[in-house]
Amino acid sequence: MQRYFVSKSNWSNDEKVTITGNDVHHITRVMRMDVGDKLICNHPDGRAATCIIDQLVNDSIIVSPIEWRNEVVELPINVTIAQGLPKGDKMDLILQKGTELGAFAFIPFQAERSVVKWDQKKIAKKLERFNKITKEASEQSHRTHIPPVESIYSFKQLLDCSEKYDVKLFAYEEEARSDSFRRLSDVLNEIEPTQRILACIGPEGGYTIDEVDALKLAGFHSVRLGPRILRTETAPLYLLSSISYHFEELR
Amino acid sequence: MQRYFVSKSNWSNDEKVTITGNDVHHITRVMRMDVGDKLICNHPDGRAATCIIDQLVNDSIIVSPIEWRNEVVELPINVTIAQGLPKGDKMDLILQKGTELGAFAFIPFQAERSVVKWDQKKIAKKLERFNKITKEASEQSHRTHIPPVESIYSFKQLLDCSEKYDVKLFAYEEEARSDSFRRLSDVLNEIEPTQRILACIGPEGGYTIDEVDALKLAGFHSVRLGPRILRTETAPLYLLSSISYHFEELR
């Protein structure tokens, strides 16, 4: 069944839901649904209900919740991916796949070796597109939460905001070659449900020595993601998959 | 250090190695290396040596191994990904990322719901490109093995070849919604090092009921890959990451 995220103001006491915006086009034109058809509406608080279409108005659709769904599709821990700005359209891939794999939020940051520098004028437009990608990927993967994509942080802003997190990690390519790495499983074993994790991924060229020192000083643990060298866009997918496996599939 | 795979016939008793083909252009033009510079040569048997450039000839480069490298970068189990033909250029993504994540081999297969049908005339050209992708991804991720990409199998050929594997899995979207799924970790816990695994991923539309029945009859275990619905190209990346985490990072 197709799934749509509906903002809080469009829910009238959980009895009527009004769908507006681009979703109206998707429901009537792409999915060709009509009165009496069913779809799933996600409430921003994480709940979801199967709904039936009551009425098609010009630019909105009125639906009624007929059953609240009992779903556990969100990771038991909150993982925010801080991604050093990568080249080209790799950020799109990270956002789409990272959302499917359960990320809680994304923070793109300007790393010293990030080749791209984002034009201030284009940031608003890019963020709009990024948040559209995570919304669509949430719907497609049947999630109940849409991971927000923050505006671009400087490295200093990233360090400052890291204080809000319970556990801080960074994937460090050099760890893959050393014997002194901290095992990812040792880190994950210490995490309690509902804790907030900030996982930092370097850009294509990796971190500079100064960045590594600053991350360690700020309390980030370096981890390796297997013994092979991963591209910057593959690293967050490995990390999120392993976290899902550890908390959702392992026993 | 840059890494190149050199075919067996170009190794003279492990004392001289002759690099030919496209790699010559890469070494001299892209990397701008010269006599005395070092690079890594991978032998097809899985060993790798640091080598020094002795001589640049027109269309070949002669290097001498100076040190054999003691590397464990390959997954302790062999995982072959059988991928239902996906749309567009998703196969490229699966091959590149799957290689980084340690896949042993790839078998693209024609599933009933595969939207693309490959033109017989174009298969040779496509396979050439696919094998180039896995070669380059192996070099980039510092692997000692290049995962071969088999020619396209029919579903029947896939079932026939599955007899050669010790453990057979298929990712089944419906499992994510049922309570009766077999846990991936239970399957992985039973696997012994050096065993051969065949993991089957459906195309965008998933498997047909007939295909699911045939897979089960042929001894494939269905597993879920977390509770979220993954796209066809994300599923093999989740599976390979989890296998790496289980065998290489977990204790």
Side-chain angles (χ1 to χ4, degrees), chain A residues 73 96-97 100-101 141 183 185-186 188 224 226-231 233-234 238 241-242 244-246 248-251, chain B residues 73 96-97 100 141-142 177 183 185-186 188 224 226-231 233-234 238 241-242 244-246 248-251:
Chain A
V73 292
Q96 186 192 66
K97 303 294 165 231
E100 287 176 60
L101 294 168
S141 56
R183 274 180 187 267
S185 65
D186 289 348
L188 297 186
R224 73 167 206 176
R228 290 162 295 282
I229 304 300
L230 302 181
R231 284 172 196 255
E233 72 275 22
T234 316
Y238 181 108
S241 301
S242 299
S244 162
Y245 178 73
H246 186 100
E248 298 177 319
E249 300 299 331
L250 188 66
R251 68 165 169 206
Chain B
V73 292
Q96 186 191 65
K97 303 294 167 229
E100 286 176 60
S141 57
H142 293 200
R177 298 184 190 131
R183 274 178 187 268
S185 65
D186 290 348
L188 297 186
R224 73 166 205 176
R228 290 161 296 281
I229 306 298
L230 302 181
R231 284 172 196 255
E233 72 275 22
T234 316
Y238 180 108
S241 300
S242 299
S244 162
Y245 178 73
H246 186 99
E248 298 177 320
E249 299 298 330
L250 188 66
R251 66 163 170 207

Short mmCIF file of all heavy atoms in Angstrom, two decimals, chain A residues 73 96-97 100-101 141 183 185-186 188 224 226-231 233-234 238 241-242 244-246 248-251, chain B residues 73 96-97 100 141-142 177 183 185-186 188 224 226-231 233-234 238 241-242 244-246 248-251:
data_model
loop_
_atom_site.label_atom_id
_atom_site.label_comp_id
_atom_site.label_asym_id
_atom_site.label_seq_id
_atom_site.Cartn_x
_atom_site.Cartn_y
_atom_site.Cartn_z
N VAL A 73 9.62 -0.23 12.57
CA VAL A 73 10.49 -0.17 11.39
C VAL A 73 11.66 0.78 11.59
O VAL A 73 12.54 0.88 10.75
CB VAL A 73 9.72 0.26 10.12
CG1 VAL A 73 8.74 -0.80 9.69
CG2 VAL A 73 9.01 1.58 10.33
N GLN A 96 19.61 8.76 -0.15
CA GLN A 96 18.57 7.79 -0.50
C GLN A 96 18.83 6.44 0.18
O GLN A 96 17.95 5.90 0.85
CB GLN A 96 18.51 7.59 -2.02
CG GLN A 96 17.35 6.70 -2.43
CD GLN A 96 17.42 6.26 -3.88
OE1 GLN A 96 18.31 5.51 -4.28
NE2 GLN A 96 16.48 6.72 -4.67
N LYS A 97 20.03 5.92 0.03
CA LYS A 97 20.35 4.61 0.60
C LYS A 97 20.42 4.69 2.13
O LYS A 97 19.99 3.77 2.82
CB LYS A 97 21.69 4.09 0.07
CG LYS A 97 21.75 3.99 -1.44
CD LYS A 97 20.81 2.94 -1.95
CE LYS A 97 20.58 3.03 -3.42
NZ LYS A 97 19.14 3.05 -3.74
N GLU A 100 16.94 4.50 3.47
CA GLU A 100 16.45 3.11 3.42
C GLU A 100 17.04 2.28 4.55
O GLU A 100 16.38 1.39 5.09
CB GLU A 100 16.89 2.43 2.11
CG GLU A 100 16.16 2.88 0.88
CD GLU A 100 16.77 2.21 -0.35
OE1 GLU A 100 16.75 0.97 -0.43
OE2 GLU A 100 17.28 2.93 -1.23
N LEU A 101 18.30 2.57 4.89
CA LEU A 101 19.01 1.75 5.88
C LEU A 101 18.78 2.24 7.30
O LEU A 101 19.35 1.70 8.24
CB LEU A 101 20.50 1.71 5.54
CG LEU A 101 20.82 0.98 4.21
CD1 LEU A 101 22.27 1.23 3.79
CD2 LEU A 101 20.56 -0.52 4.34
N SER A 141 10.65 2.98 1.62
CA SER A 141 11.14 1.91 2.50
C SER A 141 10.20 1.68 3.69
O SER A 141 10.53 0.94 4.60
CB SER A 141 12.55 2.25 2.99
OG SER A 141 12.58 3.50 3.64
N ARG A 183 37.21 -2.09 17.77
CA ARG A 183 36.25 -2.85 17.00
C ARG A 183 34.88 -2.18 17.02
O ARG A 183 34.40 -1.79 18.07
CB ARG A 183 36.11 -4.26 17.57
CG ARG A 183 37.13 -5.20 17.03
CD ARG A 183 36.96 -6.57 17.61
NE ARG A 183 38.08 -7.37 17.17
CZ ARG A 183 38.05 -8.13 16.08
NH1 ARG A 183 36.96 -8.19 15.35
NH2 ARG A 183 39.11 -8.83 15.73
N SER A 185 32.13 -3.57 16.80
CA SER A 185 31.19 -4.33 17.65
C SER A 185 31.38 -3.99 19.13
O SER A 185 30.42 -3.99 19.89
CB SER A 185 31.35 -5.83 17.43
OG SER A 185 32.62 -6.28 17.85
N ASP A 186 32.60 -3.66 19.54
CA ASP A 186 32.82 -3.26 20.94
C ASP A 186 32.10 -1.95 21.22
O ASP A 186 31.51 -1.77 22.29
CB ASP A 186 34.31 -3.11 21.23
CG ASP A 186 35.03 -4.45 21.26
OD1 ASP A 186 34.33 -5.49 21.29
OD2 ASP A 186 36.27 -4.47 21.24
N LEU A 188 29.44 -0.81 19.52
CA LEU A 188 27.99 -1.03 19.45
C LEU A 188 27.47 -1.78 20.68
O LEU A 188 26.35 -1.52 21.14
CB LEU A 188 27.62 -1.81 18.17
CG LEU A 188 27.92 -1.12 16.84
CD1 LEU A 188 27.37 -1.94 15.67
CD2 LEU A 188 27.36 0.29 16.78
N ARG A 224 36.99 0.97 12.30
CA ARG A 224 37.18 0.56 10.92
C ARG A 224 35.92 -0.14 10.45
O ARG A 224 35.16 -0.68 11.26
CB ARG A 224 38.42 -0.32 10.74
CG ARG A 224 38.27 -1.72 11.27
CD ARG A 224 39.41 -2.62 10.77
NE ARG A 224 38.95 -4.01 10.75
CZ ARG A 224 39.66 -5.02 10.31
NH1 ARG A 224 40.88 -4.84 9.85
NH2 ARG A 224 39.16 -6.25 10.33
N GLY A 226 35.43 -2.89 8.29
CA GLY A 226 35.98 -3.99 7.50
C GLY A 226 37.38 -3.66 7.05
O GLY A 226 37.82 -2.50 7.15
N PRO A 227 38.13 -4.66 6.55
CA PRO A 227 39.53 -4.44 6.19
C PRO A 227 39.75 -3.86 4.80
O PRO A 227 40.88 -3.56 4.44
CB PRO A 227 40.13 -5.85 6.27
CG PRO A 227 38.99 -6.76 5.93
CD PRO A 227 37.74 -6.09 6.46
N ARG A 228 38.69 -3.71 4.03
CA ARG A 228 38.85 -3.16 2.68
C ARG A 228 38.67 -1.64 2.72
O ARG A 228 38.04 -1.11 3.61
CB ARG A 228 37.83 -3.80 1.73
CG ARG A 228 38.14 -5.28 1.44
CD ARG A 228 36.96 -6.03 0.87
NE ARG A 228 35.89 -6.11 1.85
CZ ARG A 228 35.86 -6.98 2.88
NH1 ARG A 228 36.84 -7.84 3.04
NH2 ARG A 228 34.87 -6.97 3.74
N ILE A 229 39.24 -0.96 1.73
CA ILE A 229 39.13 0.49 1.68
C ILE A 229 37.82 0.83 0.97
O ILE A 229 37.63 0.49 -0.19
CB ILE A 229 40.32 1.09 0.90
CG1 ILE A 229 41.66 0.66 1.51
CG2 ILE A 229 40.21 2.61 0.84
CD1 ILE A 229 41.88 1.06 2.95
N LEU A 230 36.93 1.52 1.67
CA LEU A 230 35.63 1.86 1.08
C LEU A 230 35.64 3.28 0.55
O LEU A 230 36.28 4.16 1.11
CB LEU A 230 34.52 1.74 2.14
CG LEU A 230 34.36 0.39 2.81
CD1 LEU A 230 33.21 0.44 3.81
CD2 LEU A 230 34.12 -0.71 1.79
N ARG A 231 34.88 3.50 -0.52
CA ARG A 231 34.68 4.86 -1.00
C ARG A 231 33.85 5.64 0.03
O ARG A 231 33.11 5.03 0.81
CB ARG A 231 33.93 4.86 -2.32
CG ARG A 231 34.79 4.46 -3.50
CD ARG A 231 33.92 4.29 -4.72
NE ARG A 231 34.66 3.55 -5.73
CZ ARG A 231 35.19 4.09 -6.82
NH1 ARG A 231 35.03 5.38 -7.06
NH2 ARG A 231 35.87 3.36 -7.67
N GLU A 233 31.13 7.22 -0.20
CA GLU A 233 29.68 7.00 -0.24
C GLU A 233 29.30 5.59 0.18
O GLU A 233 28.13 5.32 0.48
CB GLU A 233 29.11 7.32 -1.63
CG GLU A 233 29.46 6.33 -2.73
CD GLU A 233 30.80 6.60 -3.41
OE1 GLU A 233 31.66 7.27 -2.79
OE2 GLU A 233 31.00 6.12 -4.54
N THR A 234 30.27 4.68 0.23
CA THR A 234 29.98 3.30 0.64
C THR A 234 30.07 3.17 2.17
O THR A 234 29.36 2.35 2.77
CB THR A 234 30.96 2.32 -0.03
OG1 THR A 234 31.09 2.67 -1.41
CG2 THR A 234 30.47 0.88 0.06
N TYR A 238 27.76 0.88 4.79
CA TYR A 238 28.30 -0.23 5.59
C TYR A 238 27.94 -0.03 7.05
O TYR A 238 27.45 -0.95 7.73
CB TYR A 238 29.83 -0.29 5.41
CG TYR A 238 30.49 -1.41 6.18
CD1 TYR A 238 31.02 -2.51 5.53
CD2 TYR A 238 30.60 -1.37 7.57
CE1 TYR A 238 31.63 -3.56 6.23
CE2 TYR A 238 31.21 -2.41 8.28
CZ TYR A 238 31.73 -3.49 7.61
OH TYR A 238 32.33 -4.50 8.30
N SER A 241 24.14 -0.49 7.74
CA SER A 241 23.78 -1.91 7.58
C SER A 241 24.25 -2.71 8.80
O SER A 241 23.52 -3.55 9.33
CB SER A 241 24.41 -2.51 6.31
OG SER A 241 23.98 -1.81 5.17
N SER A 242 25.48 -2.45 9.23
CA SER A 242 26.03 -3.18 10.38
C SER A 242 25.25 -2.86 11.65
O SER A 242 25.01 -3.73 12.48
CB SER A 242 27.50 -2.83 10.60
OG SER A 242 28.24 -3.17 9.47
N SER A 244 22.10 -1.91 11.77
CA SER A 244 20.82 -2.61 11.65
C SER A 244 21.00 -4.09 11.98
O SER A 244 20.24 -4.67 12.75
CB SER A 244 20.25 -2.45 10.23
OG SER A 244 19.26 -3.43 9.99
N TYR A 245 22.02 -4.70 11.40
CA TYR A 245 22.27 -6.12 11.65
C TYR A 245 22.47 -6.36 13.15
O TYR A 245 21.88 -7.26 13.74
CB TYR A 245 23.49 -6.58 10.86
CG TYR A 245 23.85 -8.03 11.11
CD1 TYR A 245 23.07 -9.05 10.58
CD2 TYR A 245 24.95 -8.37 11.89
CE1 TYR A 245 23.38 -10.38 10.82
CE2 TYR A 245 25.27 -9.70 12.13
CZ TYR A 245 24.48 -10.70 11.59
OH TYR A 245 24.79 -12.01 11.85
N HIS A 246 23.29 -5.53 13.77
CA HIS A 246 23.62 -5.70 15.19
C HIS A 246 22.38 -5.58 16.08
O HIS A 246 22.16 -6.39 16.99
CB HIS A 246 24.67 -4.66 15.60
CG HIS A 246 25.17 -4.84 17.00
ND1 HIS A 246 26.37 -5.47 17.27
CD2 HIS A 246 24.65 -4.50 18.21
CE1 HIS A 246 26.55 -5.49 18.59
NE2 HIS A 246 25.53 -4.91 19.18
N GLU A 248 19.00 -5.28 15.04
CA GLU A 248 17.70 -5.77 14.56
C GLU A 248 17.71 -7.23 14.11
O GLU A 248 16.65 -7.86 14.05
CB GLU A 248 17.20 -4.88 13.41
CG GLU A 248 16.98 -3.44 13.87
CD GLU A 248 16.54 -2.51 12.74
OE1 GLU A 248 17.07 -2.63 11.61
OE2 GLU A 248 15.69 -1.64 12.99
N GLU A 249 18.88 -7.76 13.77
CA GLU A 249 18.91 -9.13 13.22
C GLU A 249 19.78 -10.10 14.02
O GLU A 249 19.66 -11.31 13.85
CB GLU A 249 19.41 -9.11 11.76
CG GLU A 249 18.54 -8.29 10.81
CD GLU A 249 17.10 -8.80 10.70
OE1 GLU A 249 16.88 -10.01 10.88
OE2 GLU A 249 16.19 -7.99 10.47
N LEU A 250 20.65 -9.56 14.85
CA LEU A 250 21.59 -10.42 15.57
C LEU A 250 20.99 -10.88 16.88
O LEU A 250 20.31 -10.11 17.55
CB LEU A 250 22.87 -9.62 15.84
CG LEU A 250 24.09 -10.34 16.42
CD1 LEU A 250 24.65 -11.35 15.44
CD2 LEU A 250 25.16 -9.30 16.76
N ARG A 251 21.25 -12.12 17.25
CA ARG A 251 20.90 -12.55 18.61
C ARG A 251 21.84 -13.66 19.04
O ARG A 251 22.44 -14.29 18.21
CB ARG A 251 19.45 -12.99 18.69
CG ARG A 251 19.18 -14.27 17.93
CD ARG A 251 17.86 -14.88 18.34
NE ARG A 251 17.50 -15.95 17.44
CZ ARG A 251 16.24 -16.34 17.20
NH1 ARG A 251 15.25 -15.72 17.77
NH2 ARG A 251 16.01 -17.35 16.38
N VAL B 73 42.59 -9.18 3.40
CA VAL B 73 41.57 -8.22 3.00
C VAL B 73 40.35 -8.91 2.40
O VAL B 73 39.36 -8.25 2.10
CB VAL B 73 42.10 -7.17 2.01
CG1 VAL B 73 43.11 -6.26 2.67
CG2 VAL B 73 42.69 -7.84 0.79
N GLN B 96 30.10 -2.26 -8.39
CA GLN B 96 31.17 -1.45 -7.80
C GLN B 96 31.14 -1.55 -6.28
O GLN B 96 32.15 -1.86 -5.64
CB GLN B 96 31.04 0.01 -8.22
CG GLN B 96 32.21 0.85 -7.75
CD GLN B 96 31.97 2.34 -7.92
OE1 GLN B 96 31.10 2.93 -7.29
NE2 GLN B 96 32.76 2.96 -8.77
N LYS B 97 29.96 -1.31 -5.69
CA LYS B 97 29.86 -1.32 -4.22
C LYS B 97 30.01 -2.74 -3.68
O LYS B 97 30.60 -2.96 -2.62
CB LYS B 97 28.52 -0.74 -3.77
CG LYS B 97 28.25 0.67 -4.26
CD LYS B 97 29.22 1.63 -3.66
CE LYS B 97 29.19 2.96 -4.35
NZ LYS B 97 30.56 3.41 -4.68
N GLU B 100 33.64 -3.55 -3.47
CA GLU B 100 34.24 -2.89 -2.29
C GLU B 100 33.91 -3.63 -1.01
O GLU B 100 34.71 -3.69 -0.08
CB GLU B 100 33.68 -1.46 -2.14
CG GLU B 100 34.19 -0.46 -3.14
CD GLU B 100 33.48 0.88 -2.93
OE1 GLU B 100 33.59 1.45 -1.84
OE2 GLU B 100 32.79 1.33 -3.86
N SER B 141 39.74 -0.67 -3.72
CA SER B 141 39.47 -1.07 -2.33
C SER B 141 40.58 -1.97 -1.78
O SER B 141 40.45 -2.51 -0.70
CB SER B 141 38.11 -1.78 -2.24
OG SER B 141 38.07 -2.89 -3.10
N HIS B 142 41.66 -2.10 -2.55
CA HIS B 142 42.85 -2.86 -2.12
C HIS B 142 42.57 -4.34 -1.91
O HIS B 142 43.08 -4.93 -0.96
CB HIS B 142 43.48 -2.24 -0.88
CG HIS B 142 44.06 -0.88 -1.13
ND1 HIS B 142 45.00 -0.31 -0.31
CD2 HIS B 142 43.84 0.01 -2.12
CE1 HIS B 142 45.31 0.89 -0.79
NE2 HIS B 142 44.62 1.09 -1.88
N ARG B 177 8.01 -8.48 6.81
CA ARG B 177 6.72 -8.18 7.43
C ARG B 177 6.17 -9.34 8.24
O ARG B 177 5.18 -9.21 8.93
CB ARG B 177 5.70 -7.83 6.34
CG ARG B 177 6.09 -6.60 5.55
CD ARG B 177 5.01 -6.26 4.56
NE ARG B 177 5.48 -5.23 3.65
CZ ARG B 177 5.39 -5.29 2.34
NH1 ARG B 177 4.85 -6.35 1.77
NH2 ARG B 177 5.84 -4.32 1.59
N ARG B 183 16.28 -15.67 11.07
CA ARG B 183 17.20 -14.56 11.32
C ARG B 183 18.48 -14.74 10.53
O ARG B 183 19.07 -15.82 10.52
CB ARG B 183 17.55 -14.48 12.80
CG ARG B 183 16.55 -13.69 13.57
CD ARG B 183 16.90 -13.67 15.02
NE ARG B 183 15.83 -13.04 15.73
CZ ARG B 183 15.79 -11.73 15.99
NH1 ARG B 183 16.78 -10.95 15.64
NH2 ARG B 183 14.76 -11.22 16.61
N SER B 185 21.31 -13.72 11.31
CA SER B 185 22.42 -14.10 12.20
C SER B 185 22.42 -15.59 12.50
O SER B 185 23.47 -16.20 12.67
CB SER B 185 22.37 -13.29 13.50
OG SER B 185 21.22 -13.61 14.24
N ASP B 186 21.23 -16.21 12.54
CA ASP B 186 21.18 -17.66 12.76
C ASP B 186 21.80 -18.39 11.58
O ASP B 186 22.52 -19.38 11.75
CB ASP B 186 19.73 -18.14 12.95
CG ASP B 186 19.16 -17.66 14.28
OD1 ASP B 186 19.94 -17.19 15.13
OD2 ASP B 186 17.93 -17.76 14.47
N LEU B 188 24.08 -17.08 9.49
CA LEU B 188 25.52 -16.78 9.46
C LEU B 188 26.28 -17.55 10.54
O LEU B 188 27.42 -17.97 10.34
CB LEU B 188 25.78 -15.28 9.60
CG LEU B 188 25.22 -14.37 8.49
CD1 LEU B 188 25.68 -12.93 8.70
CD2 LEU B 188 25.64 -14.85 7.11
N ARG B 224 15.45 -11.96 6.10
CA ARG B 224 15.10 -10.55 5.94
C ARG B 224 16.36 -9.72 6.21
O ARG B 224 17.27 -10.17 6.92
CB ARG B 224 13.94 -10.16 6.85
CG ARG B 224 14.30 -10.04 8.32
CD ARG B 224 13.20 -9.31 9.10
NE ARG B 224 13.79 -8.70 10.27
CZ ARG B 224 13.13 -7.93 11.13
NH1 ARG B 224 11.84 -7.68 10.95
NH2 ARG B 224 13.74 -7.39 12.17
N GLY B 226 16.80 -6.59 7.77
CA GLY B 226 16.24 -5.48 8.54
C GLY B 226 14.76 -5.34 8.27
O GLY B 226 14.24 -5.94 7.32
N PRO B 227 14.04 -4.54 9.08
CA PRO B 227 12.58 -4.43 8.95
C PRO B 227 12.12 -3.43 7.89
O PRO B 227 10.93 -3.32 7.64
CB PRO B 227 12.15 -3.97 10.35
CG PRO B 227 13.32 -3.19 10.85
CD PRO B 227 14.55 -3.83 10.27
N ARG B 228 13.04 -2.69 7.30
CA ARG B 228 12.63 -1.72 6.29
C ARG B 228 12.68 -2.36 4.90
O ARG B 228 13.36 -3.33 4.68
CB ARG B 228 13.56 -0.49 6.35
CG ARG B 228 13.34 0.36 7.60
CD ARG B 228 14.50 1.27 7.91
NE ARG B 228 15.71 0.53 8.22
CZ ARG B 228 15.98 -0.04 9.39
NH1 ARG B 228 15.14 0.07 10.39
NH2 ARG B 228 17.08 -0.72 9.57
N ILE B 229 11.92 -1.79 3.98
CA ILE B 229 11.89 -2.32 2.62
C ILE B 229 13.05 -1.70 1.84
O ILE B 229 13.10 -0.49 1.67
CB ILE B 229 10.55 -1.98 1.92
CG1 ILE B 229 9.37 -2.46 2.77
CG2 ILE B 229 10.50 -2.53 0.51
CD1 ILE B 229 9.31 -3.94 2.99
N LEU B 230 13.97 -2.54 1.37
CA LEU B 230 15.14 -2.03 0.64
C LEU B 230 14.92 -2.13 -0.87
O LEU B 230 14.30 -3.06 -1.35
CB LEU B 230 16.39 -2.84 1.01
CG LEU B 230 16.78 -2.87 2.48
CD1 LEU B 230 18.06 -3.69 2.66
CD2 LEU B 230 16.98 -1.47 3.03
N ARG B 231 15.48 -1.18 -1.59
CA ARG B 231 15.49 -1.29 -3.05
C ARG B 231 16.38 -2.46 -3.46
O ARG B 231 17.28 -2.85 -2.71
CB ARG B 231 16.05 -0.01 -3.67
CG ARG B 231 15.07 1.14 -3.64
CD ARG B 231 15.78 2.42 -4.08
NE ARG B 231 14.98 3.56 -3.71
CZ ARG B 231 14.25 4.28 -4.56
NH1 ARG B 231 14.25 3.99 -5.85
NH2 ARG B 231 13.54 5.29 -4.15
N GLU B 233 18.88 -2.65 -5.37
CA GLU B 233 20.32 -2.40 -5.39
C GLU B 233 20.89 -2.16 -3.99
O GLU B 233 22.12 -2.20 -3.81
CB GLU B 233 20.65 -1.21 -6.32
CG GLU B 233 20.26 0.17 -5.81
CD GLU B 233 18.81 0.55 -6.11
OE1 GLU B 233 17.97 -0.35 -6.35
OE2 GLU B 233 18.52 1.77 -6.09
N THR B 234 20.03 -1.92 -3.01
CA THR B 234 20.51 -1.70 -1.65
C THR B 234 20.65 -3.03 -0.91
O THR B 234 21.50 -3.18 -0.03
CB THR B 234 19.54 -0.77 -0.88
OG1 THR B 234 19.17 0.32 -1.73
CG2 THR B 234 20.16 -0.22 0.39
N TYR B 238 23.51 -4.25 1.88
CA TYR B 238 23.19 -4.57 3.28
C TYR B 238 23.73 -5.95 3.63
O TYR B 238 24.39 -6.15 4.65
CB TYR B 238 21.67 -4.54 3.48
CG TYR B 238 21.22 -4.84 4.90
CD1 TYR B 238 20.71 -3.84 5.72
CD2 TYR B 238 21.32 -6.13 5.43
CE1 TYR B 238 20.30 -4.11 7.02
CE2 TYR B 238 20.91 -6.40 6.73
CZ TYR B 238 20.40 -5.39 7.52
OH TYR B 238 20.01 -5.67 8.81
N SER B 241 27.60 -6.03 3.78
CA SER B 241 28.08 -5.28 4.95
C SER B 241 27.86 -6.09 6.22
O SER B 241 28.74 -6.16 7.09
CB SER B 241 27.34 -3.95 5.07
OG SER B 241 27.53 -3.15 3.94
N SER B 242 26.69 -6.71 6.33
CA SER B 242 26.38 -7.50 7.53
C SER B 242 27.29 -8.72 7.63
O SER B 242 27.72 -9.09 8.72
CB SER B 242 24.93 -7.98 7.50
OG SER B 242 24.07 -6.88 7.48
N SER B 244 30.33 -8.92 6.38
CA SER B 244 31.64 -8.41 6.79
C SER B 244 31.65 -8.11 8.28
O SER B 244 32.56 -8.51 9.01
CB SER B 244 31.99 -7.14 6.00
OG SER B 244 33.03 -6.43 6.64
N TYR B 245 30.62 -7.43 8.74
CA TYR B 245 30.54 -7.10 10.17
C TYR B 245 30.57 -8.38 11.00
O TYR B 245 31.32 -8.48 11.98
CB TYR B 245 29.26 -6.31 10.46
CG TYR B 245 29.07 -5.96 11.92
CD1 TYR B 245 29.85 -4.99 12.52
CD2 TYR B 245 28.13 -6.63 12.69
CE1 TYR B 245 29.70 -4.68 13.86
CE2 TYR B 245 27.97 -6.33 14.03
CZ TYR B 245 28.76 -5.35 14.62
OH TYR B 245 28.60 -5.06 15.95
N HIS B 246 29.77 -9.37 10.62
CA HIS B 246 29.66 -10.61 11.39
C HIS B 246 31.00 -11.36 11.45
O HIS B 246 31.41 -11.82 12.51
CB HIS B 246 28.60 -11.52 10.76
CG HIS B 246 28.31 -12.74 11.55
ND1 HIS B 246 27.23 -12.85 12.40
CD2 HIS B 246 28.96 -13.94 11.64
CE1 HIS B 246 27.24 -14.04 12.98
NE2 HIS B 246 28.27 -14.72 12.52
N GLU B 248 34.15 -10.21 10.29
CA GLU B 248 35.41 -9.46 10.37
C GLU B 248 35.48 -8.46 11.52
O GLU B 248 36.57 -8.05 11.91
CB GLU B 248 35.67 -8.74 9.04
CG GLU B 248 35.82 -9.72 7.88
CD GLU B 248 36.01 -9.03 6.52
OE1 GLU B 248 35.35 -8.01 6.26
OE2 GLU B 248 36.81 -9.56 5.73
N GLU B 249 34.32 -8.04 12.02
CA GLU B 249 34.34 -6.98 13.04
C GLU B 249 33.69 -7.39 14.36
O GLU B 249 33.90 -6.72 15.38
CB GLU B 249 33.64 -5.72 12.51
CG GLU B 249 34.29 -5.10 11.28
CD GLU B 249 35.72 -4.64 11.51
OE1 GLU B 249 36.06 -4.27 12.64
OE2 GLU B 249 36.52 -4.69 10.56
N LEU B 250 32.90 -8.43 14.35
CA LEU B 250 32.16 -8.82 15.54
C LEU B 250 32.97 -9.78 16.40
O LEU B 250 33.66 -10.64 15.86
CB LEU B 250 30.86 -9.51 15.10
CG LEU B 250 29.81 -9.85 16.16
CD1 LEU B 250 29.22 -8.59 16.75
CD2 LEU B 250 28.71 -10.69 15.52
N ARG B 251 32.87 -9.62 17.69
CA ARG B 251 33.44 -10.65 18.56
C ARG B 251 32.68 -10.66 19.87
O ARG B 251 32.02 -9.70 20.22
CB ARG B 251 34.92 -10.42 18.81
CG ARG B 251 35.21 -9.18 19.60
CD ARG B 251 36.62 -9.21 20.16
NE ARG B 251 36.95 -7.89 20.70
CZ ARG B 251 38.18 -7.41 20.80
NH1 ARG B 251 39.20 -8.09 20.36
NH2 ARG B 251 38.40 -6.21 21.34
#
